[in-house]
Amino acid sequence: MKQPPVIVRTRRDQSDLRERLIAAALQEFAAHGFVGASTRTIAQSIGAHQPQINYHFESKEALWRAAIDHLFVTMREALTLPAVVSAEALDTTELALEFAAMLRRLVKFVSMHPELNRIMVHETTSPGPRLEWLTECHVRPYFNGLRPLWKKLVKAGIAAPIDDRLIHYVLIGASSLVFVNAHEFSALVGEAPTSKKWVKRHADGLIAMLLPGLQTTRSGKAPPRN
Amino acid sequence: MKQPPVIVRTRRDQSDLRERLIAAALQEFAAHGFVGASTRTIAQSIGAHQPQINYHFESKEALWRAAIDHLFVTMREALTLPAVVSAEALDTTELALEFAAMLRRLVKFVSMHPELNRIMVHETTSPGPRLEWLTECHVRPYFNGLRPLWKKLVKAGIAAPIDDRLIHYVLIGASSLVFVNAHEFSALVGEAPTSKKWVKRHADGLIAMLLPGLQTTRSGKAPPRN
DNA sequence: GTCTATAATTAGATAGAC
DNA sequence: GTCTATCTAATTATAGAC
């Protein structure tokens, strides 16, 4: 009589598998886009099996949405927006200072999470349900929230005279590209742009450029000069 | 006796097939990245057959390089750089005016060719031979050419105080993102950002932001206000 | 040079044992 | 819930007729 074949199946822990899948998915989706990303690669990168994605998520697309949701939550937490958004009552100088502080948090975030902007570029290239969902659920709130603040700062002569429908793209583009293209920057400059030194230097430059009318004398620091 | 099967093969013209393949490839590579792009889709989009790519180009990667080369040639022509680069002799105000004019040409170019920045984002996400080639052959000249000009303008107090190793990314990021994300902008604003009106508005804002010390009085035009 | 046919991989999703 | 095996479809590249 034949013995049934002994198959050794070492189980791996599954406790936080969903979260680990999401983290791995963000890297893969950022690197290759939704179409180019491979669920097999995502699973393997954390030592899981490809069908586990279809078990824990409905589909590749469901995994993508879960990953995006998670990333936007992370960003919202990192920016601590309320201080800026609920600043209707502040005078413009205080608002500008809050805005500058938020800019520093934004630069820090995009330096740590270039995935977000990479994924945005991947998705905005061609219209489709993923882009619609992304725009309406996640981008529009930021876009609409920024406009009145910026308008106020421009009117006060503190901010550069940029249209309040363009500033979102100027701000995001100017702040994130060096981190999105981090490997290129490293090759060109010989240093990684994500170091504390470069992140601060970049934020200083952006603040000086976007808020030329902001006086930062109160902290005793001179505005950064090249 | 059996007749040999009659196969109707209608030949299509091949005159400019190489160029048409390159144009189609740029769109496809921009939309899906190198890995995600399909040579079949590229060929079909211009009514050609997939193996013709391997005939006219060595491989998918050779097609990619040919497409990139073509795009950078297009950009160089659109920017008409010599006027700026050979401007060592100019005084800083004239240099600033030349720079502003080049900025307008740049904004016009990126509005017409978002493919370039899309492809850059796709490629810079992960290191590899394609990124190395792209950086050394095409990006470094621009990066290195911009630095001394910018340093001069900052020193003269005309340009915003941004590090000359960061300005390349600030400039490209700020100018291109709204066109890279054109579909998103259209959904949010209700108008395409590529219209003459928005391209001008965007360039005006960028010039005011990057060159706050530039006096544009000579042409009689007031600096744009929001 | 154009085109058909196909080889060799690899993709996402699913069935079913455990 | 984990894991193997497999299905269907799509990928690039190539061989060879015309």
Side-chain angles (χ1 to χ4, degrees), chain B residues 88-152:
Chain B
E88 288 269 334
L90 294 179
D91 72 63
T92 50
T93 302
E94 282 179 293
L95 176 61
L97 286 169
E98 284 289 346
F99 194 84
M102 194 216 61
L103 264 177
R104 289 192 189 281
R105 295 194 293 270
L106 174 66
V107 172
K108 186 180 173 190
F109 176 80
V110 293
S111 77
M112 295 168 65
H113 294 282
E115 314 93 69
L116 179 53
N117 301 87
R118 284 176 186 148
I119 290 173
M120 292 300 304
V121 170
H122 282 292
E123 292 307 324
T124 54
T125 298
S126 44
R130 289 197 307 277
L131 176 57
E132 277 181 38
W133 174 81
L134 203 44
T135 303
E136 297 307 324
C137 294
H138 290 301
V139 179
R140 196 183 280 281
Y142 284 95
F143 182 84
N144 284 341
L146 176 56
R147 288 183 61 182
L149 297 180
W150 186 255
K151 222 166 180 170
K152 200 171 173 183

Side-chain angles (χ1 to χ4, degrees), chain A residues 91-164:
Chain A
D91 72 63
T92 50
T93 301
E94 284 179 291
L95 176 62
L97 286 169
E98 284 289 345
F99 195 84
M102 195 216 59
L103 264 176
R104 289 193 190 280
R105 296 195 292 272
L106 174 66
V107 172
K108 187 180 174 191
F109 176 81
V110 293
S111 78
M112 294 168 64
H113 295 281
E115 314 94 70
L116 178 53
N117 302 86
R118 284 175 186 150
I119 290 173
M120 292 301 305
V121 170
H122 282 293
E123 292 306 324
T124 54
T125 297
S126 44
R130 289 198 306 277
L131 176 56
E132 277 182 37
W133 174 82
L134 203 44
T135 304
E136 297 307 324
C137 293
H138 290 301
V139 179
R140 195 182 281 281
Y142 283 97
F143 182 83
N144 285 340
L146 176 57
R147 287 183 60 182
L149 296 181
W150 186 254
K151 223 166 179 171
K152 200 172 172 182
L153 290 172
V154 171
K155 207 170 182 179
I158 296 175
I162 294 169
D163 189 286
D164 58 311

